[in-house]
Amino acid sequence: MRTSTVVYGKHFKLLVVGGGAGGLGAASKFARKLPRGSVGIIEPREDHYYQPGFTLVGGGLMSLEANRGKQKDLIPKNATWIQDKVQKFEPAKNSVKLRGGDEITYDYMVIAMGVQLRYDMIKGAKEALDTPGVCSNYSPFYVEKHYKEAMNFKGGNALYTFPNTPIKCAGAPQKACYITDSILRQRGVRDQAHMIYATSLKRVRFLLCWDIINHGAIGNQKSKKKIRKHQLVTIDCFDNNILKQYNNFFFHLFGIESYLKSLEKVARDKEIDVRTRRNLIEVNTNDRIATFELLDEEAKPTGKTEQIEYSLLHIGPPCSTPEALRNSAFVDKTGFMDVDGGSLQSKKYPNVFGVGDCMNTPNAKTAAAVSSHLKTIEKNLTQVMQGNRPCMQYDGYASCPLVVSTNRVILAEFGPRGAMETTPFDQSKPTYWAYLMKRYFMPALYWNGLIKGYWNGPATLRNCTRLVKSK
Ligand code: FAD
Ligand code: UQ1
């Protein structure tokens, strides 16, 4: 039986916080393993969105409706839905306080709260989103507007921004830009447009190395040599700041050499004006001007600004973890959940695990990564429940199908050591088959596999294709 009513003084063997991609996947897995009533899932929203579909909605290639599900239909059988929001974590008491005033206790907990879109960190952005010309594929409220703006565009600057914080699906602002380029070409107005991609990232190539982060060795000569051995990219600088590590996972366009080359060609062919080290700080809707602070090599403001007039402004929002998590004992100094990067277990509370975007693991924040997180915590949390130590290591896998036009996709799949491709084909090239996978296969995989706790990522498939390739 599903419960969507207020729950008083309730205790669960496993409490899952967040009913997005990671939370539903985790709840589904454990609701099948544990006796009925053992799993509680806290999620405030009625609607559940397949967010990877937003890119296609913003490009007029899919309806928003097709990407929406009702949470009540998605909560796994055997689990209890607590339709409320965590206000405060009290891990010393194994308890959480809800916005509605209730307290829920647990033996084990999975935190899967995702990230919060922080348009509020850009002066005037929240209001601007309700004015002509301003949109964002990240929000279900403003994603359809992107397509309308592209279809109504008559000329001037079409401006796409990338923030100076970690962001989920860091490829999404680029995808929005490329799709709009295609739409404007199809409409025959591309020559009226100056397309600008303004990113906080720097031009120098920088590799985020998983091993090195996990072993805390960033910055010394030994680690530089270790990275060079992987021969993925040129390494130009190192930094200890975790926040920057997230940012730098993606270079100004992308972090893996083969994908970077391919994307640079896309941006060049499409004549996109890529401007690096620019962070959007203000939107003035009266004059239609976006103000950027210019950043130095350390991603710190230089005190200089640049103003760009826009006809169309697509905002890639800054992101942070939700407030309740940010203010809890679970996080590191960046506000992300502090987990062991291999086991995904909380560093402070061994009965608590993390899944998805809210963790401080250095992978790209994608639903594809969630599939590998789920595989890892299924094994490790079961081990801990049985009184054993976690034995499985997250492999760092993430994927980001880079939509580069209305019918071509680069199916980027990667991990800390470079590309981790599933198919036997060259995935660094934009192809129609990859577009078809993005449009039809991935949504089905999400709704029927990932959130039902059946899809553990493509590692097994990859091993099979590796065998075929090596023959
Ligand atoms: P979410 O799915 O965001 O779920 C978090 C849940 O926690 C939410 O339902 C929220 O309501 C809940 N929550 C928040 N605060 C609280 C609280 N206080 N109490 C209780 N619950 C709370 N990924 C891909 O793999 N491929 C793609 O092509 C891709 N494209 C994307 C394009 C866009 C425009 C966007 C926005 C995302 C894209 N992603 C893509 C990323 C993907 O959607 C996320 O990485 C994935 O949803 C993360 O899952 P999660 O469970 O961590 O967070
Ligand atoms: C994936 O597993 C996944 O989660 C369901 C996505 O999110 C929608 C993806 O976009 C991708 C690419 C994967 C990876 C799966 C395969 C088969 C390459």
Side-chain angles (χ1 to χ4, degrees):
M1 196 190 84
R2 290 167 192 155
T3 310
S4 59
T5 47
V6 182
V7 182
Y8 294 98
K10 190 81 184 161
H11 178 87
F12 292 95
K13 182 171 173 82
L14 174 64
L15 184 64
V16 178
V17 183
L24 280 181
S28 296
K29 280 184 181 295
F30 284 93
R32 279 197 292 272
K33 282 176 187 270
L34 299 173
R36 177 178 277 261
S38 305
V39 178
I41 176 163
I42 306 175
E43 167 59 55
R45 294 180 188 162
E46 300 253 331
D47 291 330
H48 179 110
Y49 286 100
Y50 171 64
Q51 300 168 51
F54 287 179
T55 297
L56 301 182
V57 175
L61 299 162
M62 227 179 159
S63 71
L64 184 60
E65 185 61 33
N67 290 290
R68 184 167 42 220
K70 287 283 165 205
Q71 201 71 37
K72 69 175 170 48
D73 302 326
L74 302 173
I75 299 289
K77 284 196 197 109
N78 278 356
T80 305
W81 179 21
I82 302 142
Q83 192 182 1
D84 206 329
K85 200 173 167 173
V86 169
Q87 189 102 309
K88 194 165 184 227
F89 287 99
E90 296 190 326
K93 293 192 332 190
N94 283 342
S95 121
V96 300
K97 281 223 166 86
L98 305 184
R99 185 178 45 186
D102 298 314
E103 192 169 336
I104 312 279
T105 53
Y106 57 84
D107 293 333
Y108 303 93
M109 180 162 65
V110 170
I111 300 181
M113 295 164 81
V115 289
Q116 207 182 334
L117 307 179
R118 300 293 306 275
Y119 296 105
D120 60 298
M121 287 170 72
I122 302 163
K123 195 174 165 197
K126 272 174 106 173
E127 305 75 38
L129 283 163
D130 290 317
T131 66
V134 186
C135 53
S136 179
N137 278 0
Y138 277 81
S139 157
F141 302 111
Y142 301 104
V143 57
E144 288 169 302
K145 196 176 170 200
H146 181 224
Y147 181 59
K148 285 183 197 138
E149 291 297 340
M151 290 306 284
N152 290 330
F153 186 88
K154 292 190 179 59
N157 289 334
L159 180 53
Y160 288 78
T161 70
F162 184 98
N164 194 22
T165 66
I167 182 172
K168 56 179 150 183
C169 191
Q174 258 181 84
K175 304 181 204 180
C177 179
Y178 299 146
I179 290 188
T180 300
D181 168 87
S182 283
I183 293 174
L184 299 185
R185 282 176 203 275
Q186 283 156 21
R187 288 186 48 226
V189 296
R190 179 60 180 88
D191 51 355
Q192 316 292 320
H194 180 198
M195 297 203 67
I196 303 168
Y197 182 73
T199 169
S200 295
L201 304 187
K202 57 186 164 189
R203 197 171 287 276
V204 288
R205 293 173 182 186
F206 189 105
L207 173 69
L208 179 61
C209 184
W210 180 257
D211 284 344
I212 286 164
I213 281 160
N214 280 337
H215 299 130
I218 291 179
N220 61 32
Q221 288 305 318
K222 206 170 138 208
S223 60
K224 285 183 192 182
K225 270 192 207 128
K226 208 170 174 185
I227 293 179
R228 284 209 181 99
K229 215 170 80 187
H230 296 306
Q231 291 184 335
L232 288 170
V233 290
T234 323
I235 305 299
D236 291 324
C237 62
F238 288 83
D239 195 290
N240 256 328
N241 181 331
I242 301 274
L243 200 70
K244 276 182 60 192
Q245 291 169 7
Y246 285 109
N247 247 349
N248 286 322
F249 187 80
F250 282 77
F251 310 144
H252 63 288
L253 285 175
F254 206 88
I256 308 294
E257 188 76 47
S258 55
Y259 301 133
L260 175 67
K261 273 191 185 147
S262 206
L263 280 173
E264 279 178 343
K265 181 171 166 8
V266 170
R268 216 174 26 248
D269 291 351
K270 289 180 177 290
E271 296 177 60
I272 312 283
D273 177 359
V274 180
R275 300 190 190 178
T276 56
R277 284 290 174 229
R278 280 156 176 84
N279 180 36
L280 179 66
I281 52 167
E282 186 173 352
V283 185
N284 170 348
T285 52
N286 288 334
D287 303 320
R288 287 196 170 210
I289 285 177
T291 302
F292 293 83
E293 63 183 1
L294 304 187
L295 307 174
D296 65 15
E297 286 301 300
E298 305 296 314
K300 296 205 178 76
T302 59
K304 292 183 190 143
T305 58
E306 181 182 45
Q307 297 198 318
I308 306 179
E309 223 177 284
Y310 65 84
S311 299
L312 188 165
L313 170 64
H314 177 279
I315 301 177
C319 297
S320 72
T321 49
E323 205 173 346
L325 180 58
R326 216 158 63 229
N327 295 332
S328 76
F330 287 110
V331 298
D332 67 12
K333 64 181 180 190
T334 70
F336 282 79
M337 187 184 173
D338 200 11
V339 294
D340 175 85
S343 68
L344 307 184
Q345 186 178 37
S346 162
K347 282 198 184 148
K348 275 200 201 145
Y349 301 96
N351 60 335
V352 179
F353 283 76
V355 168
D357 296 350
C358 66
M359 296 187 292
N360 67 354
T361 49
N363 57 275
K365 296 185 182 302
T366 63
V370 168
S371 64
S372 288
H373 296 163
L374 288 172
K375 180 179 168 182
T376 309
I377 65 134
E378 178 175 25
K379 185 85 188 167
N380 287 345
L381 179 53
T382 305
Q383 289 282 109
V384 170
M385 284 176 173
Q386 291 166 350
N388 301 320
R389 289 165 67 87
C391 59
M392 186 155 193
Q393 297 282 306
Y394 166 49
D395 59 6
Y397 173 80
S399 167
C400 185
L402 293 151
V403 188
V404 299
S405 74
T406 48
N407 57 13
R408 290 289 182 278
V409 163
I410 294 171
L411 184 52
E413 290 184 276
F414 49 93
R417 291 178 192 81
M420 292 171 80
E421 300 188 342
T422 304
T423 77
F425 311 112
D426 179 1
Q427 295 181 202
S428 70
K429 298 280 174 304
T431 58
Y432 185 55
W433 67 259
Y435 170 78
L436 292 177
M437 278 187 82
K438 164 78 189 164
R439 171 64 184 81
Y440 298 102
F441 181 68
M442 297 308 165
L445 192 59
Y446 181 91
W447 293 113
N448 304 308
L450 189 83
I451 61 172
K452 304 264 186 234
Y454 295 122
W455 173 242
N456 282 337
T460 312
L461 273 172
R462 193 185 318 122
N463 289 338
C464 295
T465 45
R466 214 177 269 156
L467 275 178
V468 174
K469 272 187 196 173
S470 63
K471 277 192 178 154

